[in-house]
Amino acid sequence: MAPSHALRCCKRALNWIPVLFINLVVGWSYYAYVVELCVYTIPNNAERISYLVVFHVFFTMFVWAYWKTICSTPASPSKAFGLPRAEKELYEREEQAERQQEILKKVARNLPVYTRTAGGAIRYCDICQVVKPDRCHHCSTCEMCVLKMDHHCPWVNNCVGFSNYKFFVLFLAYASLYCVVICATVIQYFIKFWTKQLPDTHAKFHILFLFFVAAMFFISILSLLSYHLWLVGKNRTTIEAFRAPVFANGPDKSGFSLGFGRNVAEVFGDEAKYWMFPVVSKHALKSGHFPEGLYVRMQMLSQTFSRPPSASPLVKYLENVRVSPCESTAGKCPGNSERASGHVEDSKQKHCF
């Protein structure tokens, strides 16, 4: 028991090495730019100040988005997606897979879950012991099921998914712009050092290496950013891009697409003025407030299945518990051309979901 715990702690500590590496590179780039370039190399005060202002704007946004991606706790399924005690005991006693699926199908009928495995079975996580909501997957590194999981990123030591996908895309965008600013402002001094127009000083190595590192990172980050912007426009995750989600009528890579505008709003929020900032830009449901959005969504889904939402155990359960902003998930009715979603407004706030 103790060796297993020790190995797990060592593994978690090792997972921070890529994050440490990135922070060391960023820290050195800050020193090389601010001290070696702006303080020791640039002779003109106006140029020095303008460079420092622009640099710090993009540096701040880059670091802000990066640490928001790292520090955001992955959203996991709510307790409503766990098996009730009676069904859980039956499931654990049952040895035949067919009988287990019958139990899961009975439970899933009362849940807003519409995707299946490739074989048409209910998606169930034996480790977390929950019926997986649509777009939810189990992360072996984080040891939990993650809502709208895109991938586990070692460079942020975190799962990229529902709770931080916007922050991750902004991190890539600002990292690219950070590299562009460095390359654009350093290149003239890079050329001067390279062609011996400036004397050899301790700043030479830092400026030459800074340009090469920034250019290298820009090329690699830009390709990744382009790919994720394409995913945002399609409302797909990396997992769904490689393996299409399976609905009752078969696999459909565009199963969650709402049209380009709504797909972008799904990630960045409904208010464009917040898109550039690594903040939650949707009017998130507050803890302790009944999730009207989920209730309306289930009402809309019930029109397809002719089942009153008020009869659902999930609704009855949610009416009596405190639900956090990340505990509701979005799905799609089989055969529908768009995801069932909507807005509920009251006198105080508008809830988006």
Side-chain angles (χ1 to χ4, degrees):
M1 206 63 184
S4 176
H5 178 71
L7 287 173
R8 183 175 296 181
C9 291
C10 290
K11 181 183 176 182
R12 289 178 178 174
L14 291 174
N15 287 340
W16 285 101
I17 291 178
V19 177
L20 178 62
F21 171 76
I22 292 295
N23 280 275
L24 288 174
V25 171
V26 172
W28 167 79
S29 71
Y30 183 89
Y31 166 80
Y33 192 93
V34 173
V35 179
E36 299 294 344
L37 176 68
C38 293
V39 175
Y40 291 136
T41 305
I42 298 177
N44 186 281
N45 284 331
E47 182 183 5
R48 180 186 296 124
I49 293 172
S50 61
Y51 279 15
L52 285 172
V53 170
V54 173
F55 173 82
H56 278 92
V57 168
F58 288 99
F59 174 80
T60 301
M61 297 304 293
F62 162 51
V63 173
W64 184 10
Y66 181 58
W67 280 99
K68 282 287 286 187
T69 307
I70 293 174
C71 297
S72 297
T73 303
S76 59
S78 70
K79 294 179 181 179
F81 288 88
L83 296 182
R85 181 178 297 179
E87 282 76 4
K88 184 178 179 180
E89 292 176 355
L90 286 173
Y91 182 86
E92 291 175 346
R93 286 201 305 265
E94 190 58 58
E95 296 180 357
Q96 295 183 355
E98 293 80 4
R99 284 287 302 140
Q100 288 181 330
Q101 271 300 302
E102 289 179 9
I103 296 170
L104 293 178
K105 286 179 180 178
K106 179 182 176 182
V107 175
R109 278 199 297 266
N110 298 317
L111 295 172
V113 175
Y114 302 100
T115 54
R116 300 290 184 265
T117 65
I122 300 296
R123 300 170 64 245
Y124 181 76
C125 180
D126 289 305
I127 300 174
C128 299
Q129 297 185 328
V130 294
V131 175
K132 292 181 183 178
D134 297 338
R135 318 187 84 174
C136 177
H137 299 275
H138 185 86
C139 176
S140 58
T141 305
C142 294
E143 299 178 344
M144 62 184 294
C145 283
V146 179
L147 297 183
K148 198 186 176 185
M149 179 177 173
D150 187 272
H151 69 288
H152 184 91
C153 180
W155 301 108
V156 299
N157 191 28
N158 200 0
C159 260
V160 177
F162 177 78
S163 63
N164 63 354
Y165 189 56
K166 174 190 175 181
F167 308 149
F168 176 75
V169 175
L170 287 177
F171 152 59
L172 295 179
Y174 285 120
S176 299
L177 292 173
Y178 179 68
C179 293
V180 168
V181 168
I182 290 176
C183 289
T185 54
V186 166
I187 188 168
Q188 62 172 314
Y189 296 97
F190 170 85
I191 294 172
K192 288 179 180 180
F193 275 118
W194 191 267
T195 57
K196 309 293 185 181
Q197 296 179 40
L198 288 176
D200 289 345
T201 63
H202 55 82
K204 179 178 180 179
F205 165 79
H206 290 283
I207 291 174
L208 293 179
F209 199 55
L210 180 63
F211 180 83
F212 280 122
V213 171
M216 179 185 67
F217 271 89
F218 172 72
I219 293 171
S220 59
I221 294 172
L222 183 63
S223 60
L224 188 59
L225 172 63
S226 301
Y227 176 66
H228 278 280
L229 290 177
W230 178 79
L231 290 178
V232 169
K234 298 289 184 179
N235 202 352
R236 295 178 194 168
T237 63
T238 299
I239 295 173
E240 292 162 359
F242 285 95
R243 186 174 65 248
V246 179
F247 298 93
N249 55 346
D252 184 4
K253 276 194 173 183
S254 300
F256 295 106
S257 180
L258 305 171
F260 180 79
R262 284 303 306 164
N263 290 345
V264 172
E266 281 285 302
V267 175
F268 291 97
D270 295 317
E271 298 186 67
K273 63 184 179 181
Y274 295 121
W275 285 3
M276 295 190 301
F277 301 99
V279 296
V280 178
S281 48
K282 288 188 177 183
H283 293 286
L285 302 173
K286 294 184 178 179
S287 179
H289 190 84
F290 177 71
E292 297 99 334
L294 178 58
Y295 184 81
V296 171
R297 185 185 304 121
M298 294 182 69
Q299 284 184 316
M300 298 176 70
L301 297 177
S302 70
Q303 295 174 6
T304 301
F305 294 96
S306 301
R307 182 170 62 249
S310 59
S312 168
L314 176 61
V315 171
K316 293 178 180 178
Y317 174 83
L318 291 173
E319 286 174 339
N320 294 286
V321 297
R322 300 172 65 86
V323 182
S324 67
C326 297
E327 287 183 337
S328 61
T329 59
K332 176 184 174 182
C333 289
N336 284 1
S337 60
E338 62 181 31
R339 191 184 64 177
S341 61
H343 295 269
V344 173
E345 297 189 21
D346 58 27
S347 58
K348 294 184 178 179
Q349 62 179 348
K350 179 174 71 174
H351 302 289
C352 303
F353 45 90

